[in-house]
């Protein structure tokens, strides 16, 4: 009985149950005293905590809990104080509770305590691509851009002056396409998407495919024949 009311209690076996052999009484455990506070600046946050009176075999999981996001900050198994570094879980920006969850040696949750709140930022967004490189490769062109570690996938939108309109989603940082005709102008938009699903800032580029090089023609130099008159010296 989690929270019995005060007074005299009677224990009676239910009809058809086994014979009651023994009844024992145990005093309620005294809850551990736990405090905590979030310090630092995003994304380098820390939870400063202090624990006293934690029963042997119990442990404390510190967690951040929001309306649409949450994560485990860390676990502590003994009395004491310290700091736990953590990064806010991906989710909407806003207020999140910091909780201490005490689990007993039997594996069941014994206590859940709210220690305070902190304001979590929104999930990080992939930055806009800084440059686009276009290289000819046989009958194809290869578009490439600097890799962004925050982007799980990247959407590439390509429009051309010849009426081509292509959208591709890739996991890497390059895309191979069939080459349009020489002289075509490409309008390329690159947009990264984070693991949380948040879109990054779009980057726009314009690139014109080079025309074939004209072969230089060499003019033959005209040669004039010079006839020399040979005179005989007497």
């Amino acid at each position: 009985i989690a929270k019995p009311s005060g007074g005299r209690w009677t224990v009676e076996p239910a009809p058809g149950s086994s014979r009651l052999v023994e009844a024992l009484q145990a005093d309620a455990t005294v809850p551990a005293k736990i405090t905590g506070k979030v310090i630092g600046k995003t994304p380098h946050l820390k939870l400063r905590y202090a624990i006293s009176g934690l029963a042997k075999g119990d442990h404390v999981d510190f967690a951040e809990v929001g309306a649409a996001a949450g994560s485990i900050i860390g676990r502590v198994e003994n009395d004491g104080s310290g700091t736990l570094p953590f990064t806010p879980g991906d989710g909407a920006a806003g207020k999140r509770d910091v909780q201490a969850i005490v689990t007993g040696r039997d594996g069941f949750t014994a206590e859940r305590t709210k220690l305070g709140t902190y304001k979590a930022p929104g999930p990080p967004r992939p930055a806009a691509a800084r440059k686009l490189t276009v290289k000819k490769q046989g009958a194809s062109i290869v578009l490439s851009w600097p890799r962004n570690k925050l982007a799980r996938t990247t959407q590439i939108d390509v429009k051309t002056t010849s009426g081509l309109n292509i959208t591709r989603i890739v996991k890497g940082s390059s895309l191979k396409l069939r080459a349009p005709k020489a002289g075509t102008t490409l309008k390329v938009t690159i947009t990264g998407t984070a693991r949380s699903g948040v879109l990054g800032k779009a980057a726009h580029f314009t690139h014109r495919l080079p025309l074939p090089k004209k072969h230089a023609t060499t003019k033959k130099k005209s040669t004039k024949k010079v006839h020399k008159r040979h005179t005989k010296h007497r």
Side-chain angles (χ1 to χ4, degrees), residues 36-59:
K37 182 181 180 181
V38 175
I39 59 175
K41 292 184 179 181
T42 306
H44 307 294
L45 297 177
K46 293 181 180 180
L47 174 66
R48 180 182 292 162
Y49 70 87
I51 303 173
S52 61
L54 186 66
K56 186 178 180 180
D58 291 1
H59 66 262

Side-chain angles (χ1 to χ4, degrees), residues 16 23 34 74 94-95 125 175 182 190 192 217 224 234:
I34 306 172
K95 189 178 291 185
R125 299 176 59 190
L175 175 65
I190 302 176
T217 56
K224 295 181 179 179
R234 293 181 179 177

Side-chain angles (χ1 to χ4, degrees), residues 134-142 160 162 164 166 176-182 184 186 209:
V134 181
K135 289 185 178 180
K136 188 81 165 52
Q137 194 177 89
S140 304
I141 56 172
V142 178
T160 71
S162 59
L164 188 66
I166 296 175
K176 190 175 184 179
L177 298 172
R178 184 176 179 180
K181 64 180 182 179
T184 299
L186 310 177
L209 298 179

Side-chain angles (χ1 to χ4, degrees), residues 192-204:
T193 303
R195 292 184 177 273
S196 61
V198 175
L199 293 177
K201 189 175 181 181
H204 305 278

Side-chain angles (χ1 to χ4, degrees), residues 1-6 9 26-29 31 109-111:
I1 303 174
K3 295 181 179 180
S5 58
W9 287 70
D27 295 329
T29 57
T109 300
E111 186 182 356

Side-chain angles (χ1 to χ4, degrees), residues 12-195:
E12 294 181 357
S17 65
S18 301
R19 182 173 62 89
L20 182 63
V21 176
E22 184 180 19
L24 299 174
Q25 176 181 328
D27 295 329
T29 57
V30 178
K33 184 178 180 181
I34 306 172
T35 60
K37 182 181 180 181
V38 175
I39 59 175
K41 292 184 179 181
T42 306
H44 307 294
L45 297 177
K46 293 181 180 180
L47 174 66
R48 180 182 292 162
Y49 70 87
I51 303 173
S52 61
L54 186 66
K56 186 178 180 180
D58 291 1
H59 66 262
V60 181
D61 287 316
F62 292 102
E64 51 146 1
V65 181
S71 66
I72 297 297
I73 296 173
R75 174 174 292 185
V76 179
E77 299 179 345
N78 299 292
D79 285 353
S81 61
T83 57
L84 296 171
F86 74 99
T87 301
D90 288 343
K95 189 178 291 185
R96 295 185 189 176
D97 294 342
V98 177
Q99 299 182 357
I101 306 166
V102 180
T103 302
R105 68 185 73 184
D106 56 4
F108 291 95
T109 300
E111 186 182 356
R112 183 185 290 264
T113 304
K114 178 180 174 181
L115 304 179
T117 61
Y118 86 100
K119 189 175 181 181
R125 299 176 59 190
R130 298 186 304 275
K131 65 178 181 178
L132 172 70
T133 301
V134 181
K135 289 185 178 180
K136 188 81 165 52
Q137 194 177 89
S140 304
I141 56 172
V142 178
L143 313 180
S144 60
W145 54 93
R147 188 173 183 84
N148 190 315
K149 63 180 181 180
L150 292 179
R152 183 182 184 184
T153 59
T154 304
Q155 179 173 314
I156 311 300
D157 299 292
V158 181
K159 294 182 179 180
T160 71
T161 51
S162 59
L164 188 66
N165 193 347
I166 296 175
T167 296
R168 296 285 188 274
I169 295 177
V170 299
K171 289 187 176 181
S173 57
S174 65
L175 175 65
K176 190 175 184 179
L177 298 172
R178 184 176 179 180
K181 64 180 182 179
T184 299
T185 298
L186 310 177
K187 291 186 177 181
V188 182
T189 302
I190 302 176
T191 310
T193 303
R195 292 184 177 273

